[in-house]
């Protein structure tokens, strides 16, 4: 079968069972768009900015077990997409990005809308390709999907010069992939797993520290089974929320810079730590010297060998796919017929209960002004914990993580590694396409939402019933909090003094807008949005306390045991 390059690209995507492509057309990809127009198996979602295309494809992947796909044109199209690509890369999200390029004979000639896409994106992709021969298109796209989803997942970019769209060759989609230099480990070392089990069973203060790898590998049920089998506490990272049920009595909550007191103290004082699908990043352990001040044995399980022992010394490294490693951990715990010393475990839980009594997430509730924490609590109640929640970055992100109890994986979508403002709304769009029957809420702030607010147009075109929960404190909240605490109350450019009327703005795009100013109206407004306007986008503009801060907090350079609590101020 002889096809043009454009036809081959679309056929490859069909072979990969791609349902949606998020993108924005331009000169270098018009051949591809023409072929998209001629078929009906793949639906194209026209965004209003290329960054949003990548975020939407990213969230489509995060909220499902599928690979998100997006397509952008050359030059400014791909440079606009870089922020989204970097966001997916830092959070290890499997995604395929198709980018247009100027014709092969023009490359290196400073042609109109030419840029070195491979060079620009190299630091923020798992891999990228510049295809120079139409015969290489099908094998390259096959490799791209394979690389994106195997090993440690990540975005893969395929750069396609315009002339390949009309060049022709015989088409056959490869059935298998073989890359000599790429052979990710799947099975963990049995001897190391045996050592890990022995350490866990001999522990007096054990803790499971679970990260985003649990979500990406779809191993939440197995992690929960292991935790219940061992009867040990579990803490989750920001990216790992939902990997272990937040309402489970063994959960001590999120740890790290804005983690609970009990989670951080458990992390600091555990004598055996099972780190699984996590990477000990700076926002989790704080100052490494403080973290290392108390001796402990560390078991570190990860698919990526480069993540192990990168920031802390570990005693039992296990490289492997979490599915396989958890299966063997559970099997070996069963086979050992051993139990952690009940007296030691009881004493450990008693310590944790004392830390829990701090009630580190408590806040003062006013009768006149809306507290942002209260909005998130009511969002959880109104949705029954069943919504997919996306967020932007800042105080609202932390409050969503702290007060919305995620019991299931793939319900919490946020930019953890890169911290990308503008992620929330396009991410909500991607979640809607992947989960059409699930309520989707975007928790955001008045600063972040304006980064990609043009996507209200996309939401209107495709009738996406996103509920935007805007915690509007009239400040760049997290910036203001740091300026208050560490910069002598010098609020340099953190005050937003020219805000739009969000209600009118939402209505201008054809949506429902509601402004809420009183605490007594919070729950009724949320119920109106999720019930009365179930099938519509609703922009809920909550005017919240501009002085509210996120606590607990571990300041930069401090350790987990040096938390600042609200009661300390």
């Amino acid at each position: 079968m002889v096809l043009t390059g454009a036809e081959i690209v679309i056929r490859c995507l069909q072979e990969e069972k791609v349902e949606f492509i998020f993108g924005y057309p331009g000169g270098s990809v018009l051949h591809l768009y023409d072929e998209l127009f001629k078929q009906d198996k793949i639906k194209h979602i026209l965004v209003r900015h290329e960054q949003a295309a990548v975020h939407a494809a990213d969230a489509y992947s995060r909220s499902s077990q599928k690979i998100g796909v997006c397509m952008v044109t050359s030059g400014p199209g791909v440079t606009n997409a870089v922020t989204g690509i970097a966001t997916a890369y830092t959070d290890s999200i499997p995604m395929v990005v198709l980018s247009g390029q100027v014709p092969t004979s023009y490359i290196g000639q400073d042609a109109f809308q030419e840029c070195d896409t491979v060079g620009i994106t190299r630091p923020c992709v798992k891999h990228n390709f510049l295809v120079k021969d139409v015969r290489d298109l099908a094998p390259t796209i096959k490799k791209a999907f394979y690389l994106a989803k195997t090993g440690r997942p990540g975005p893969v970019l395929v750069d396609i010069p315009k002339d390949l769209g009309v060049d022709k060759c015989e088409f056959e989609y490869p059935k298998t992939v073989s890359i000599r230099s790429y052979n990710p480990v799947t099975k963990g070392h049995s001897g190391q797993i045996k050592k890990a089990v022995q350490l866990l069973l001999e522990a007096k203060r054990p803790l499971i520290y679970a990260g985003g790898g649990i979500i990406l590998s779809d191993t939440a049920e197995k992690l929960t089974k292991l935790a219940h089998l061992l009867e040990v506490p579990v803490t989750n990272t920001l990216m790992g929320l939902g990997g272990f049920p937040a309402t489970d009595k063994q959960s001590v909550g999120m740890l790290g810079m804005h983690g609970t007191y009990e989670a951080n103290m458990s992390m600091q004082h555990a004598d055996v730590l099972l780190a699984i699908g996590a990477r000990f990043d700076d926002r989790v352990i704080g100052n490494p010297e403080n973290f290392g001040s108390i001796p402990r044995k560390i078991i570190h399980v990860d698919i990526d060998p480069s993540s192990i022992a990168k920031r802390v010394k570990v005693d039992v490294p296990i490289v492997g796919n979490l599915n396989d490693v958890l299966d063997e951990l559970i099997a070996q715990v069963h086979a050992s017929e051993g139990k952690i010393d009940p007296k030691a475990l009881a004493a450990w839980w008693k310590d944790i209960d004392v830390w829990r009594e701090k009630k580190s997430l408590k806040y003062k509730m006013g009768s006149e002004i809306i507290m942002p924490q209260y909005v998130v609590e009511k969002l959880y109640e109104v949705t029954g914990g069943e919504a997919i929640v996306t967020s932007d970055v800042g105080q609202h992100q932390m409050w969503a993580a702290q007060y919305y109890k995620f019991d299931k994986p793939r319900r919490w979508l946020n930019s953890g590694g890169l911290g990308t403002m503008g992620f929330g709304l396009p991410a909500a769009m991607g979640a809607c396409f992947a989960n059409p029957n699930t309520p989707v809420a975007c928790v955001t702030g008045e600063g972040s939402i304006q980064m990609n607010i043009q996507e209200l147009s996309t939401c209107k075109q495709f009738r996406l019933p996103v509920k935007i929960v805007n915690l509007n404190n009239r400040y760049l909240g997290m910036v203001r909090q740091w300026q208050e605490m560490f910069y002598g109350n010098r609020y340099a450019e953190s005050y937003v003094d020219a805000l739009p009327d969000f209600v009118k703005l939402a209505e201008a795009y054809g949506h429902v807008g509601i402004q809420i100013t009183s605490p007594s109206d919070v729950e009724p407004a949320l119920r109106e949005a999720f019930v009365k306007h179930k099938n519509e986008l609703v922009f809920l503009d909550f005017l919240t306390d501009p002085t509210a801060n996120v606590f607990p907090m571990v300041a930069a350079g401090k350790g987990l045991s040096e938390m600042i609590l609200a009661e300390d101020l």
Side-chain angles (χ1 to χ4, degrees):
M1 187 188 306
V2 177
L3 300 176
T4 66
E7 290 171 327
I8 287 170
V9 171
I10 304 308
R11 284 292 298 271
C12 290
L13 298 178
Q14 291 173 346
E15 290 285 340
E16 290 290 344
K17 308 260 187 313
V18 173
E19 295 176 295
F20 299 100
I21 296 178
F22 302 88
Y24 202 95
S28 292
V29 287
L30 286 182
H31 294 310
L32 300 177
Y33 271 89
D34 195 42
E35 290 306 321
L36 267 176
F37 184 82
K38 295 173 184 176
Q39 56 83 58
D40 58 6
K41 290 183 179 178
I42 302 172
K43 186 171 184 179
H44 181 270
I45 308 303
L46 177 65
V47 296
R48 294 342 187 229
H49 191 283
E50 290 89 352
Q51 180 184 341
V54 189
H55 289 329
D58 172 333
Y60 178 86
S61 178
R62 291 184 199 235
S63 63
S64 67
Q65 296 181 32
K66 302 170 185 175
I67 296 179
V69 179
C70 58
M71 183 158 63
V72 298
T73 194
S74 62
V78 77
T79 56
N80 280 346
V82 168
T83 297
I85 296 170
T87 299
Y89 178 69
T90 52
D91 288 343
S92 303
I93 306 303
M95 186 168 63
V96 171
V97 182
L98 303 177
S99 61
Q101 184 54 275
V102 299
T104 50
S105 62
Y106 291 13
I107 294 175
Q109 303 297 315
D110 293 330
F112 175 67
Q113 292 196 332
E114 179 192 1
C115 70
D116 179 6
T117 297
V118 167
I120 288 170
T121 61
R122 184 176 286 120
C124 60
V125 292
K126 184 174 179 182
H127 196 70
N128 59 18
F129 300 90
L130 170 59
V131 187
K132 293 186 176 180
D133 190 315
V134 69
R135 292 169 293 184
D136 294 330
L137 272 173
T140 300
I141 291 173
K142 181 72 174 180
K143 288 177 183 177
F145 277 88
Y146 173 71
L147 287 168
K149 66 186 176 184
T150 55
R152 180 177 180 172
V156 178
L157 181 140
V158 182
D159 201 28
I160 306 171
K162 185 173 183 177
D163 54 312
L164 267 60
V166 294
D167 289 349
K168 293 184 177 182
C169 72
E170 289 192 2
F171 170 70
E172 183 179 357
Y173 197 58
K175 291 183 172 56
T176 58
V177 175
S178 178
I179 304 174
R180 188 172 60 180
S181 60
Y182 179 74
N183 295 289
V185 175
T186 54
K187 293 280 186 181
H189 191 283
S190 292
Q192 293 292 86
I193 293 174
K194 187 174 182 179
K195 285 182 187 177
V197 170
Q198 186 176 352
L199 275 178
L200 286 165
L201 295 178
E202 291 173 354
K204 298 188 183 304
R205 301 185 306 280
L207 177 69
I208 294 176
Y209 152 49
I214 292 294
I215 310 294
L216 294 168
S217 60
D218 293 305
T219 51
E221 288 187 10
K222 291 179 182 181
L223 173 72
T224 303
K225 183 176 181 180
L226 177 65
H228 286 166
L229 189 62
L230 293 170
E231 299 178 355
V232 301
V234 180
T235 183
N236 291 93
T237 66
L238 177 71
M239 296 304 300
L241 295 178
F244 185 79
T247 57
D248 191 291
K249 63 181 181 180
Q250 288 176 228
S251 172
V252 292
M254 182 178 75
L255 82 165
M257 179 172 277
H258 294 294
T260 66
Y261 187 79
E262 55 267 32
N264 284 346
M265 294 300 283
S266 297
M267 185 75 165
Q268 188 71 359
H269 293 282
D271 66 342
V272 175
L273 183 63
L274 172 58
I276 187 158
R279 55 191 178 90
F280 292 91
D281 70 280
D282 58 299
R283 291 293 171 111
V284 164
I285 66 166
N287 187 327
E289 289 185 12
N290 176 274
F291 181 70
S293 63
I294 299 177
R296 63 176 69 76
K297 296 292 184 182
I298 297 177
I299 305 155
H300 194 178
V301 185
D302 204 285
I303 188 68
D304 181 6
S306 72
S307 289
I308 294 180
K310 182 184 284 186
R311 298 197 76 239
V312 300
K313 179 181 176 294
V314 303
D315 301 277
V316 183
I318 303 172
V319 178
N321 182 291
L322 300 192
N323 260 299
D324 296 312
V325 173
L326 279 166
D327 279 341
E328 192 162 354
L329 278 170
I330 292 167
Q332 288 203 25
V333 169
H334 276 302
S336 71
E337 297 183 356
K339 283 276 187 183
I340 298 171
D341 180 2
K343 287 186 179 179
L345 203 54
W348 178 227
W349 277 112
K350 189 174 180 180
D351 288 341
I352 291 170
D353 286 339
V354 170
W355 295 327
R356 280 174 166 164
E357 287 173 9
K358 277 275 189 183
K359 298 188 184 303
S360 59
L361 295 182
K362 66 178 179 290
Y363 61 92
K364 291 181 180 178
M365 181 65 188
S367 59
E368 301 297 323
I369 193 162
I370 299 172
M371 297 305 293
Q373 302 95 321
Y374 177 71
V375 177
V376 179
E377 286 182 327
K378 287 301 175 183
L379 175 65
Y380 173 74
E381 288 179 21
V382 167
T383 60
E386 293 295 322
I388 293 174
V389 179
T390 74
S391 85
D392 278 292
V393 171
Q395 288 180 316
H396 61 269
Q397 176 191 27
M398 294 300 107
W399 286 318
Q402 290 175 329
Y403 294 94
Y404 199 100
K405 301 178 181 68
F406 295 97
D407 279 344
K408 298 176 183 177
R410 300 189 183 274
R411 296 296 177 99
W412 168 234
L413 315 180
N414 79 119
S415 171
L418 197 65
T420 305
M421 293 173 71
F423 177 82
L425 180 54
M429 290 161 28
C432 282
F433 284 110
N435 306 270
N437 298 314
T438 304
V440 177
C442 169
V443 178
T444 186
E446 76 291 334
S448 285
I449 190 63
Q450 293 188 85
M451 291 278 186
N452 270 315
I453 201 163
Q454 75 285 335
E455 296 311 313
L456 288 173
S457 178
T458 306
C459 292
K460 181 62 177 178
Q461 180 178 346
F462 294 98
R463 297 178 175 83
L464 303 179
V466 177
K467 306 300 180 276
I468 297 173
V469 178
N470 187 36
L471 303 182
N472 186 348
N473 60 9
R474 285 78 75 201
Y475 276 99
L476 300 179
M478 193 60 84
V479 173
R480 183 204 56 77
Q481 177 168 339
W482 279 60
Q483 288 171 336
E484 175 185 319
M485 299 178 73
F486 310 117
Y487 294 89
N489 296 308
R490 293 182 295 278
Y491 300 125
E493 304 304 322
S494 58
Y495 181 72
V496 183
D497 58 359
L499 289 174
D501 183 326
F502 287 111
V503 171
K504 289 181 179 177
L505 187 59
E507 291 172 347
Y509 276 103
H511 303 300
V512 177
I514 305 172
Q515 187 178 82
I516 304 94
T517 59
S518 170
S520 61
D521 293 330
V522 169
E523 185 174 344
L526 286 166
R527 293 200 180 278
E528 180 181 350
F530 282 94
V531 180
K532 181 180 177 182
H533 300 294
K534 178 182 178 182
N535 298 318
E536 299 173 87
L537 184 147
V538 182
F539 196 118
L540 296 147
D541 186 26
F542 292 94
L543 300 188
T544 62
D545 183 354
T547 67
N549 287 332
V550 182
F551 293 108
M553 180 177 183
V554 178
K558 299 295 184 180
L560 291 180
S561 59
E562 300 173 293
M563 283 167 282
I564 303 170
L565 304 179
E567 65 188 39
D568 297 333
L569 299 178

